[in-house]
Amino acid sequence: MRELWMLACLLLLLATTARAQLDIEALNTAYKAFDAGRRDGKGYSESPDSGSLGWGEGGVIASYAKMWEVTGDKYWLGKIRDHFRAIMATATDPDGDGFLSWQTATYSCAVAYAERLHNISDARIEPATQKNTNGKEAAKCSGHTYVIEFRDVSTAFNIIDLDTGETVAYLVPFEAGKPFAQIEPFAFSIAGEPKQGDRFLVRTYAPEGLEYTVHQGMFIYPVALFIEAVKKDPALQAEFGPDAETFLQFVNKHVFEKNEQDWLDMGESGGAYRFQPRITDRFPNRIMPHNQYGALARAWLVLKDVQGAHPLMAQRAEQMVRYFHTFLIHDEGKDAYNWSYWDWIEYGEPGRAFWEDTSHGTIDISLAVEAARRGVIFTDTDMQRLANTWLKVMWNQDTTAPMMAAAVDGREPYKFSPLIGDWTELSQWDRQVYDLALQAYMGHDEQNRTSWAPVILLCAKRAGVEPVPANP
Amino acid sequence: MSRHIAVLLTAALSCMPALAQLDVSALSEAYRAYDLGRNQGLGYADATDSAVLAWQEGGILKSYIDMWEVTRDVYWLDRVVEHFEMIASNATDPDGDGYLGWQTAEYSAGIAYAHRLHNVSAAEIGPAEQRIKVHERLGECTGHTYLIEFEVEPGQFRIRDWDTQEMVADAVTYDPAGTRVDQIAPFTFTLTGQTHQGDRFMVRTIAPQDVEHIAHEGMIIYPVARFIEAIRTTPALQARYGAKADAYLAFITRNVFEKNERHWVNIEPLGGAYRAGPWPTERAPNVMLPHNQSLSLGRAWLVLGSLEGVNPAIGERARQMAGLFHSLLMVDDAADACTWHYMDWLEYGEGLQTATEDTMHGHIDVGFAVEAARRGIVFTTRDMQRLANTWLKLMWNQDAERPRMAGRVDGTEPGKHPALLTSWTELAEWDPQVRTLARAAWAELDATEQARWAPTMLLCETRGSHPGNVTNP
């Protein structure tokens, strides 16, 4: 009896402490100030770079959606509106496909094709094809065509840029099989015994601005939440209705219809988006990693029941959720799920990547959460299993200094905070997710706590923790 | 007709007064008038396309220097000056290599590279590479990138021009056993294998590009080289043409000789030759050129290489080219004649050849041999008699009244050409029967055609009258 009494007091103390720590009104005010000081309140909304919009602005605009859900303060709807207006303004159509979008060369590759010409010798150049996926290195690629020529002797060669006529390298000593790297950022070697007069041609393709579904998903998902909120509440029509409609029509055409071009139907497994068919894409036309199509699938889950949404949205959302669900692997011992970063089929054979990492996993979890909350494929059982992944597989079991593993299989090091966004939304199915998040939150100083306000507040709300009233 | 009778008849015809004497003055006037009627005397000198300059203007330039050799009338030197200065003024450097030149896309190929993307299925596209050199639709090659995509279902595809985003073809039925795709002109592909919705195949094309051709430069430069030689070896012409000859020599040395050194290949101990450029749309990038193409420019080096003060490397290249070509002549013992291939080259370490040389390209080869022999470089009198025997014993139809020459140097494709052909008729220097047949062909021509062919006929007469005069043109 005494133990039960002490436990009850402890729980009450914890709850009171938690409630006292999460003063919604105070945090709301603090976060507004924090946001206003972040790049003059504009976040990365004015960037024309897709990567910056996805990974920079995406987190900012998502935080507004979180704060709206938690506080119901229209201020945050206004922020989403203002940011997306700026985002739309930078959309362009450089490839002429009739759809506006955003591009970045950050993840684009440099590609080189090398071949011998009609040479006297049988010497050959290798490799015939190469791709440099290192962004910084790839950016050095000129996109020009080069000739490697043994002009006067067979023991040394020159390299000529055919586009400019310039000699890039002069009398480079030749050694069979030895790599040379004067045509940046590539390395070639020549095998065999070249003769004077032999030539080899290298055609290069420089990185180009590509469009990424995952980036679009990162900022379109919060905009979808904005549209849904406005469309469902008559009280918001006057102030936000026209923008919501404009945003919906823009998203219908320039995001949904545009990505339909890259849709891949996988039958009973569902479906997902493919990468663009560009030579400088890392894997042109392959189905995307789960986090990449999942980022945008969340938006379709939100919008599918909104009046005016594209009629195919519901189907595509379901197909993508089903595709992800198909590849979850049940760890019966821990009653948890693990999954790969990427599953695909090529040449008719299945392929997969490494276990999903914690960082990309936030988007997968967000997809599952959104699907479960809207009754699409994911059940409470599924969500509990995902929570078990977090708590039984990935958590270091340290209640004082909780840290999370690098990947969903529990791979060390434990370098992630339990406060990491979207994983924290599993709190809806397991309170301990919130407890760990709160523990991490309380470990921050006041400024950092403010920056984490949207995450912890949403986590608390989803866990059913009562908010602190303004005037208790 | 037996061979003996033919010889006797030819000798008889050669004694006929009407054919024995050509009125050089009248023919010169006739050709002058004919020439002035050709684009108001400009010929094709104002062209910027190297193919036109070579195959249209080149013959005109040669006719002028031939007429100079025959008549010693400086009018013809002035014609060379007027034309070449216009030609030189149109030389450009679009490839930025620091050398001026003339370009054409006329002989360039269209190229297509095709490959599958990261598709679900194992379906394939072939061929991986195509190089279309001659095709009625070659001009339609856009140089764009295309996508063949199974957007809706595996049973049909569409073709999208990625550069313009236009649909080239839509809803094309697909048969996994093999479907021909010919909507990307002028290429043809085959898709095979079971496809999956979403499969895509990429086709990257390269349209024919403007490139420079050594053969064309030779056709232009060879007559100018003879102009330079004429000025340099004729003191009386120095005052009037000396500066121009020097300027032309400087232009040629840099923009033709030095530029093309990068295309040179040594084939020691036989000699050497030029190769095609490395441009992607060349028909066979970097291949050793066909004989006529390399020797076209070789003729100019033979001429210039014998002059004092000229880069000695020019003469060396001429010698090497003569050595290599000479080594590839095949002797027909029965006729004591020569045949040779259109092209001999080395690739992958192997010696390769094409068919026997044709008469039209062969005139350049023979012209090279003539220049070499007249300068005592590799080709001997015996060699030239053999080449004359090729013309007279292998290629001639043995009809003295209506002589016709075969389409190839081995006598195949009989009766295809007249006996009055540029450079072939210069063999008259070694065998008078060449001149006799040329005269017979000449007699068949009407006045206009006689005016047109006057330089060739007159040079034949002149060279035939001065056999073996190799150093004093």
Side-chain angles (χ1 to χ4, degrees), chain A residues 95-96 116 118-120 149 196-197 199 205 261-265 274 277-279 284-285 346-348, chain B residues 118-120 147 151 160 162 165 196-198 200 202 204 262-264 266 275 285-286 347-349:
Chain A
D95 58 15
R116 50 167 282 130
H118 290 266
N119 299 334
I120 289 177
E149 56 181 22
Q196 180 268 323
R199 280 169 167 151
Y205 292 81
Q261 296 177 104
D262 299 317
W263 178 254
L264 178 63
D265 195 312
R274 294 164 285 153
R278 300 280 203 107
I279 268 187
N285 210 45
E346 196 168 329
Y347 280 104
Chain B
H118 289 268
N119 298 334
V120 172
L147 278 184
E151 190 66 8
R160 181 159 44 141
W162 187 258
Q165 295 294 318
H196 190 283
Q197 180 273 326
R200 279 169 168 152
M202 180 174 282
R204 288 171 292 121
R262 61 179 292 212
H263 302 309
W264 181 259
N266 287 315
R275 295 163 290 144
N286 208 45
E347 195 168 337
Y348 281 103

Side-chain angles (χ1 to χ4, degrees), chain B residues 230-357:
Chain B
I231 306 309
R232 284 282 186 96
T233 58
T234 310
L237 298 175
Q238 290 293 316
R240 183 167 173 165
Y241 299 105
K244 290 194 182 298
D246 289 344
Y248 299 170
L249 178 61
F251 179 95
I252 291 169
T253 300
R254 170 155 179 81
N255 295 303
V256 186
F257 180 76
E258 289 175 11
K259 177 176 70 182
N260 287 302
E261 276 293 281
R262 61 179 292 212
H263 302 309
W264 181 259
V265 61
N266 287 315
I267 310 292
E268 295 302 338
L270 300 175
Y274 287 112
R275 295 163 290 144
W279 331 118
T281 60
E282 265 278 358
R283 288 182 174 184
N286 208 45
V287 76
M288 284 175 63
L289 287 174
H291 297 298
N292 77 91
Q293 295 192 26
S294 209
L295 300 179
S296 171
L297 192 55
R299 297 173 301 172
W301 303 157
L302 283 167
V303 173
L304 294 177
S306 58
L307 299 176
E308 279 191 26
V310 171
N311 184 339
I314 291 178
E316 176 59 17
R317 292 294 182 239
R319 185 200 63 74
Q320 287 177 288
M321 294 167 79
L324 181 64
F325 179 52
H326 187 271
S327 74
L328 293 167
L329 295 174
M330 297 171 287
V331 176
D332 178 331
D333 289 323
D336 193 29
C338 293
T339 61
W340 60 100
H341 300 114
Y342 170 83
M343 185 176 174
D344 293 271
W345 76 101
L346 294 167
E347 195 168 337
Y348 281 103
E350 300 287 326
L352 302 166
Q353 314 84 31
T354 61
T356 304
E357 178 69 288

Side-chain angles (χ1 to χ4, degrees), chain B residues 336-452:
Chain B
D336 193 29
C338 293
T339 61
W340 60 100
H341 300 114
Y342 170 83
M343 185 176 174
D344 293 271
W345 76 101
L346 294 167
E347 195 168 337
Y348 281 103
E350 300 287 326
L352 302 166
Q353 314 84 31
T354 61
T356 304
E357 178 69 288
D358 63 273
T359 304
M360 293 309 291
H361 288 108
H363 91 268
I364 300 174
D365 311 333
V366 168
F368 177 88
V370 165
E371 287 293 355
R374 283 161 63 81
R375 287 161 174 70
I377 298 173
V378 178
F379 281 79
T380 65
T381 300
R382 177 83 191 280
D383 293 323
M384 300 315 291
Q385 185 60 61
R386 279 180 168 156
L387 285 171
N389 289 342
T390 301
W391 186 243
L392 299 169
K393 296 181 181 180
L394 299 183
M395 299 173 71
W396 176 33
N397 68 346
Q398 306 303 309
D399 184 338
E401 286 184 25
R402 294 176 62 78
R404 295 290 183 270
M405 316 309 287
R408 293 196 181 271
V409 300
D410 62 356
T412 53
E413 300 177 25
K416 205 167 173 183
H417 299 290
L420 180 60
L421 281 182
T422 303
S423 297
W424 282 105
T425 46
E426 292 168 30
L427 290 170
E429 189 164 340
W430 290 274
D431 194 315
Q433 196 169 24
V434 174
R435 181 173 58 170
T436 303
L437 296 186
R439 286 176 170 178
W442 169 265
E444 293 185 69
L445 302 176
D446 62 25
T448 301
E449 285 298 291
Q450 286 190 342
R452 177 186 166 209

Side-chain angles (χ1 to χ4, degrees), chain A residues 262-285:
Chain A
D262 299 317
W263 178 254
L264 178 63
D265 195 312
M266 295 302 289
E268 291 180 0
S269 301
Y273 294 117
R274 294 164 285 153
F275 287 119
Q276 283 193 293
R278 300 280 203 107
I279 268 187
T280 60
D281 198 293
R282 290 180 181 185
F283 296 93
N285 210 45

Side-chain angles (χ1 to χ4, degrees), chain A residues 45-67:
Chain A
S45 62
E46 295 179 337
S47 172
D49 183 272
S50 172
S52 182
L53 287 172
W55 307 123
E57 175 60 17
V60 172
I61 199 172
S63 76
Y64 302 159
K66 289 179 168 64
M67 292 303 288

